[in-house]
Amino acid sequence: MRRSDASRRAILLAAFELVGEVGYAKLTIEGIAARAGVGKQTIYRWWPSKGAVLFDAFLALSEDPQGDPALPDTGDLEADLKLVLRATVAELSDPRYDAPMRALTAAMLNDPALAAEYEQRLDAPMRALKRARLRSAQEAGQLPSEADLDLAVDLLWSPLMRRWLERAELTPAFADAVVETALAGLRAR
Amino acid sequence: MRRSDASRRAILLAAFELVGEVGYAKLTIEGIAARAGVGKQTIYRWWPSKGAVLFDAFLALSEDPQGDPALPDTGDLEADLKLVLRATVAELSDPRYDAPMRALTAAMLNDPALAAEYEQRLDAPMRALKRARLRSAQEAGQLPSEADLDLAVDLLWSPLMRRWLERAELTPAFADAVVETALAGLRAR
């Protein structure tokens, strides 16, 4: 790993940890630099703002940087979605992610510009990957060609988000039940 | 209307408006009293904390105080749920509710005790009313007796919440599509 890669990873991890500890309002470039052991000019060389650092941190740390970002496609939509939603349940239940994600979500509720940046940099690309997997299922005859894929994404992922937001019970069995019921509904129409 | 009822309503409206303007952290009993034109002792006579005032404000202002809180039950589950979800869409799209609800949601993300109070005072009673309507549908043979009613509530209401949270398009047609697809899934299992 080159030295700049190591600094970059240290900065992203520091931003991710700090926002969970102090909240978005009190997150500063100075604080991130101190935690990461770099000068703040190093951060400003790569990112224009604390929001930009934080979104890159969420991107880098919530997915395998070497891995293919596409959703699994074994040809069995139900099995693939259960795998993905169970992984989402595991991530939402991981205490390392919980505080940073709550801090970012709270900040976006009060800050439409931050919410728009999140939508553009994180949410839209993730929705595109989900839609791509569902479109592949349509081509394979596993979902009706007229199914509304945006509705499908919401039916599959929103119940997990609701339970996480309200700190309700969130289990792999719940993920399975959501997949089975949502797919049955999409196929029955 | 008795004088104390008028004061009570003025206090609840002031709390509801103020939290949308200044956020939960900066909401104070003094501020509510000044906006409502009452002394702060009047507020402390009825409520122990700003959170208690605010939850009563959400309860009082988000539903018809004279009305029956139960969900409509005409015998046609799909029609009744469309009516209710369209009303939810209208409420979530109303600018008077938007800022107070975002402020409260953001505060709960950072404050587990406030979230627990919300769960107990508002969310649990509302979920009970939703479950009661779905149970009546089971008794009428409109939903399978083995349907998981907690899953049903999440499938029906979470997609609306997700779109509101992320400021995505939220229309009556979307509410109808959610009802149709979720019910088809619950009936197909």
Side-chain angles (χ1 to χ4, degrees):
Chain A
M1 192 185 276
R2 289 179 308 155
R3 193 168 149 226
S4 66
D5 285 341
S7 296
R8 201 178 167 86
R9 282 188 64 79
I11 291 163
L12 295 177
L13 184 62
F16 192 79
E17 289 176 351
L18 263 180
V19 76
E21 294 169 21
V22 304
Y24 183 76
K26 292 182 183 155
L27 182 71
T28 61
I29 295 285
E30 287 77 0
I32 298 169
R35 169 76 60 110
V38 302
K40 60 182 194 168
Q41 287 316 313
T42 304
I43 299 182
Y44 282 121
R45 201 185 316 148
W46 288 320
W47 293 280
S49 66
K50 68 178 184 180
V53 184
L54 194 61
F55 287 127
D56 273 0
F58 273 81
L59 268 176
L61 297 169
S62 69
E63 57 190 34
D64 175 2
Q66 310 304 326
D68 181 351
L71 267 57
D73 191 347
T74 65
D76 181 340
L77 178 65
E78 184 168 318
D80 291 348
L81 286 175
K82 284 182 178 175
L83 195 72
V84 172
L85 264 72
R86 281 170 170 253
T88 302
V89 166
E91 189 177 304
L92 292 172
S93 306
D94 184 333
R96 285 176 304 165
Y97 292 109
D98 192 68
M101 286 191 298
R102 285 189 195 281
L104 179 63
T105 306
M108 290 190 297
L109 274 162
N110 293 324
D111 183 344
L114 189 69
E117 202 177 340
Y118 174 85
E119 155 63 21
Q120 190 196 330
R121 300 205 48 191
L122 283 163
D123 195 53
M126 288 191 296
R127 288 181 78 83
L129 296 175
K130 294 168 185 172
R131 286 175 53 99
R133 178 64 190 90
L134 296 170
R135 203 172 305 113
S136 159
Q138 286 180 315
E139 286 156 12
Q142 295 208 331
L143 265 187
S145 57
E146 66 276 16
D148 178 337
L149 300 189
D150 280 321
L151 172 66
V153 170
D154 274 337
L155 281 174
L156 287 161
W157 274 271
S158 302
L160 274 57
M161 185 195 178
R162 202 288 300 172
R163 292 209 169 187
W164 171 73
L165 265 174
E166 299 186 8
R167 296 181 169 82
E169 194 181 30
L170 190 52
T171 62
F174 179 69
D176 289 353
V178 168
V179 170
E180 288 166 18
T181 312
L183 285 187
L186 292 161
R187 286 169 172 163
R189 291 195 71 200
Chain B
M1 191 185 277
R2 290 177 309 155
R3 191 168 152 228
S4 66
D5 285 340
S7 297
R8 201 178 166 86
R9 283 189 62 82
I11 291 163
L12 295 178
L13 183 62
F16 192 79
E17 289 176 350
L18 263 181
V19 75
E21 294 169 21
V22 304
Y24 184 75
K26 291 183 183 157
L27 183 72
T28 60
I29 295 285
E30 287 78 359
I32 298 169
R35 168 77 60 110
V38 302
K40 58 182 196 168
Q41 288 315 312
T42 305
I43 298 182
Y44 282 121
R45 200 187 315 147
W46 288 320
W47 292 279
S49 66
K50 69 178 184 180
V53 185
L54 195 62
F55 286 127
D56 273 1
F58 273 82
L59 268 177
L61 298 170
S62 69
E63 58 190 33
D64 174 3
Q66 311 303 326
D68 181 351
L71 268 55
D73 192 347
T74 65
D76 181 340
L77 178 64
E78 184 169 317
D80 290 349
L81 287 175
K82 285 182 178 176
L83 195 72
V84 172
L85 264 73
R86 281 169 170 254
T88 302
V89 166
E91 190 177 303
L92 291 173
S93 306
D94 185 332
R96 286 176 304 165
Y97 291 108
D98 192 68
M101 286 193 297
R102 286 188 194 282
L104 180 62
T105 306
M108 290 191 296
L109 274 161
N110 293 323
D111 184 342
L114 190 69
E117 201 175 341
Y118 175 85
E119 156 63 22
Q120 188 196 331
R121 300 204 50 189
L122 282 164
D123 195 55
M126 286 191 297
R127 287 182 76 84
L129 296 174
K130 294 167 185 172
R131 287 176 53 99
R133 178 63 189 88
L134 296 171
R135 202 172 307 111
S136 159
Q138 286 180 316
E139 286 156 11
Q142 296 208 331
L143 265 188
S145 58
E146 66 276 16
D148 178 337
L149 300 189
D150 281 320
L151 172 67
V153 170
D154 274 335
L155 281 173
L156 287 161
W157 275 271
S158 302
L160 274 57
M161 184 193 180
R162 203 287 299 173
R163 294 209 167 186
W164 171 73
L165 265 174
E166 301 186 7
R167 297 180 167 83
E169 195 181 29
L170 191 52
T171 62
F174 179 70
D176 288 354
V178 168
V179 170
E180 288 167 17
T181 313
L183 284 186
L186 292 159
R187 286 168 173 163
R189 292 195 69 201

